[in-house]
Amino acid sequence: MMAFRSAFTPLLTSAFPTRTTSGTLSLSTFANSLTEHCTQTVRQNVSLLDLCKLPPASAYVHLPFCRKRCHYCDFPIIALGSSSDHHHDDPRISSYVETLCREIMATNSTPSSCPPLQTVFLGGGTPSLVPPRLVSSVLDALSSKFGVCGNAEISMEMDPGTFNAAAMKELMGLGVNRVSLGVQSFQDELLKCCGRAHGVDEIFEAVEIVKSCGVENWSLDLISSLPHQTPAMWEESLHLTIQAQPTHVSVYDLQVEQDTKFGFLYTPGEFPLPSENQSAELYKMASRMLSNAGYEHYEISSYGKTGYRCRHNTTYWKNKPFYAFGLGSASYIGGVRFSRPRRLREYTNYVQALENGVADHTQSEGIVEPKDLAMDVVMLSLRTADGLDLKSFREAFGDSILLSIFEAYRPYLESGLVICLDEQRRNVAADEVMSNEKLAYLRLSDPDGFLLSNELISVAFAVICP
């Protein structure tokens, strides 16, 4: 989270004064309209300041194994090689899973005060390389330590060519009920360029396996702005995605990270990577095609059919606490984010220290600064189509800061990059914003506002923490 925040350049240095001239509203009147008319959406009236302090009901588990490292990847992984398709007996996997389960069991928690897990996300890496019997060990450890709801969403990232129908059915029997299929592209030349271990034929085989096994809730992941990717290629990938009929689609714009092969080979915005304008057109194409196909663009990178938003990821966007386990994973508990070591030896030592009672980051006594939390809430909320809940934000952080954000966003409201919604989520005209008595939400427009999210969020950051 801090890495994301540090990328913003402050555009403003002070809050705007309250004015009562035409087109603006006095602070007290604006605040009263929110108090009287905005609906409360935070569960059981828990304030945003207290929400992060609730016990987690979600867990991310990092299973770092891959056949090889993709050229854009800077995640902590363990490359197994391609000598075996499924690596059923690889001691590196069994040893890691044992350490992972030890971490889960050594985590400090009070079962009587902690709710059972409502979501579990098995990410990586390529978790589908882990034999189902070892996945079972992980899920058993989570159930034993925290409990898992009967209707919990249990997601698993899977790559084409790393599982068959028998494995899929076994995983479903263990409780896995959501699959995130890492396709990335439908062109063999692009997959090869990215260092992916699968080809297009394996994509179609994987889709058929997922559908034939009866997985109702599944996502297909794509990456745009790849080297040498043309608009025609991107359109084909989107078309084939829609044709496959997943219930969810994730679309990520390529980020060229340092110390990756792409980081050494390419410079963002320079050929063979697309320019910023070309990348924007690819983003708009995805938004248009997927929306026309019945997918709700509910988060900057996420599209879902009705009822198929990713429940686990929604935990992140709502700034709710969550456990994290495994190499390099980052938890958010008590308003504090903590990342585990990215190297296996250091991670193993961390787990040993946790078992010895000399490392515990689940019960933080640190003071959560309201301004830091306010920036988290703004950043995460404005990534979503739901947007920022104005009443909840005002109750947590005060009248002045909210009015200052509105003043700072005035040019963007007028240009349509930022929009306001009433209680029924209907658009409020820019010239009526400050006088509308039922103003309820502030969000970025789709797709143009989403495309400029970094800049627009930085405007709010400069007001919150000048």
Side-chain angles (χ1 to χ4, degrees):
M1 187 63 66
M2 293 306 295
F4 190 102
R5 180 177 300 150
S6 66
F8 291 111
T9 302
L11 302 182
L12 301 175
T13 57
S14 63
F16 284 79
T18 301
R19 296 178 292 177
T20 56
T21 54
S22 176
T24 63
L25 194 66
S26 70
L27 180 61
S28 59
T29 306
F30 182 70
N32 288 337
S33 70
L34 289 174
T35 301
E36 294 171 4
H37 296 286
C38 288
T39 57
Q40 175 64 280
T41 61
V42 178
R43 64 179 186 183
Q44 299 175 347
N45 295 320
V46 176
S47 78
L48 292 175
L49 288 170
D50 294 328
L51 185 64
C52 66
K53 300 176 183 178
L54 293 175
S58 295
Y60 171 82
V61 179
H62 192 64
L63 298 173
F65 306 101
C66 289
R67 289 178 286 186
K68 61 178 183 176
R69 182 179 290 277
C70 297
H71 297 167
Y72 50 76
C73 175
D74 71 340
F75 292 167
I77 70 161
I78 299 171
L80 300 175
S82 303
S83 58
S84 172
D85 288 338
H86 300 289
H87 306 277
H88 288 298
D89 301 315
D90 195 312
R92 291 171 292 181
I93 300 180
S94 55
S95 176
Y96 174 84
V97 169
E98 179 185 5
T99 304
L100 176 65
C101 291
R102 286 167 50 203
E103 182 194 0
I104 293 170
M105 297 308 296
T107 298
N108 188 7
S109 68
T110 306
S112 60
S113 63
C114 292
L117 298 176
Q118 298 174 8
T119 72
V120 175
F121 196 100
L122 304 172
T126 307
S128 46
L129 287 172
V130 178
R133 61 182 173 81
L134 295 179
V135 174
S136 178
S137 298
V138 174
L139 294 176
D140 286 347
L142 291 171
S143 180
S144 175
K145 184 67 179 182
F146 307 107
V148 178
C149 291
N151 65 342
E153 176 192 87
I154 302 180
S155 301
M156 186 172 188
E157 291 183 341
M158 306 179 76
D159 276 4
T162 63
F163 64 98
N164 55 28
M168 185 74 258
K169 290 178 181 178
E170 192 171 353
L171 290 168
M172 293 172 68
L174 297 175
V176 174
N177 53 22
R178 184 178 184 277
V179 168
S180 181
L181 195 61
V183 169
Q184 317 311 2
S185 172
F186 278 89
Q187 291 79 37
D188 278 320
E189 59 268 40
L190 293 186
L191 294 172
K192 184 177 181 179
C193 174
C194 292
R196 297 292 290 176
H198 70 263
V200 172
D201 288 344
E202 290 172 304
I203 293 175
F204 291 121
E205 291 172 5
V207 169
E208 179 58 30
I209 291 170
V210 169
K211 296 173 75 170
S212 65
C213 287
V215 181
E216 179 183 344
N217 189 0
W218 67 284
S219 179
L220 193 151
D221 299 349
L222 297 174
I223 299 180
S224 64
S225 301
L226 294 171
H228 301 287
Q229 185 179 47
T230 66
M233 288 176 173
W234 183 234
E235 184 175 13
E236 179 185 43
S237 287
L238 290 168
H239 174 73
L240 291 172
T241 294
I242 293 168
Q243 195 174 68
Q245 298 181 318
T247 51
H248 187 279
V249 181
S250 293
V251 176
Y252 302 106
D253 189 65
L254 176 69
Q255 301 298 307
V256 178
E257 305 289 352
Q258 292 182 349
D259 300 325
T260 64
K261 187 168 183 178
F262 276 4
F264 290 112
L265 290 174
Y266 306 126
T267 300
E270 296 184 8
F271 185 82
L273 297 179
S275 66
E276 287 189 7
N277 288 339
Q278 289 170 329
S279 291
E281 290 305 313
L282 298 181
Y283 185 87
K284 291 179 181 180
M285 184 189 299
S287 180
R288 180 179 67 254
M289 289 182 64
L290 292 170
S291 296
N292 289 343
Y295 292 90
E296 176 198 13
H297 194 182
Y298 72 94
E299 188 271 333
I300 285 178
S301 301
S302 306
Y303 302 78
K305 293 285 189 179
T306 301
Y308 288 97
R309 291 186 179 189
C310 179
R311 288 165 52 193
H312 181 84
N313 287 348
T314 298
T315 295
Y316 304 150
W317 310 138
K318 292 187 176 181
N319 209 38
K320 293 181 179 180
F322 56 89
Y323 296 110
F325 304 102
L327 191 70
S329 63
S331 57
Y332 178 55
I333 301 173
V336 175
R337 302 183 191 278
F338 172 73
S339 296
R340 283 123 195 92
R342 290 173 60 93
R343 295 182 180 276
L344 187 57
R345 183 182 297 276
E346 285 82 358
Y347 168 66
T348 302
N349 292 339
Y350 159 75
V351 173
Q352 184 64 62
L354 188 64
E355 291 177 320
N356 293 339
V358 295
D360 179 19
H361 299 273
T362 63
Q363 301 294 328
S364 172
E365 296 180 359
I367 298 175
V368 181
E369 292 291 338
K371 286 187 176 181
D372 288 340
L373 182 57
M375 288 193 286
D376 280 351
V377 170
V378 167
M379 179 180 68
L380 295 169
S381 297
L382 293 185
R383 284 185 60 95
T384 71
D386 290 342
L388 181 67
D389 183 314
L390 297 176
K391 181 182 178 184
S392 296
F393 189 84
R394 171 192 169 270
E395 288 179 344
F397 306 112
D399 300 336
S400 180
I401 192 171
L402 183 57
L403 186 61
S404 294
I405 289 174
F406 266 88
E407 291 281 10
Y409 274 159
R410 179 177 301 282
Y412 306 103
L413 287 164
E414 293 172 354
S415 68
L417 291 173
V418 177
I419 58 178
C420 286
L421 307 174
D422 64 14
E423 294 171 337
Q424 285 72 46
R425 307 199 67 84
R426 296 174 301 202
N427 283 12
V428 176
D431 59 356
E432 299 176 359
V433 164
M434 301 304 284
S435 60
N436 190 292
E437 293 184 344
K438 295 187 177 182
L439 205 63
Y441 304 98
L442 183 77
R443 61 155 295 178
L444 306 185
S445 62
D446 178 13
D448 294 317
F450 279 165
L451 274 169
L452 295 176
S453 59
N454 282 11
E455 176 185 341
L456 295 172
I457 292 170
S458 72
V459 170
F461 281 5
V463 169
I464 296 169
C465 194

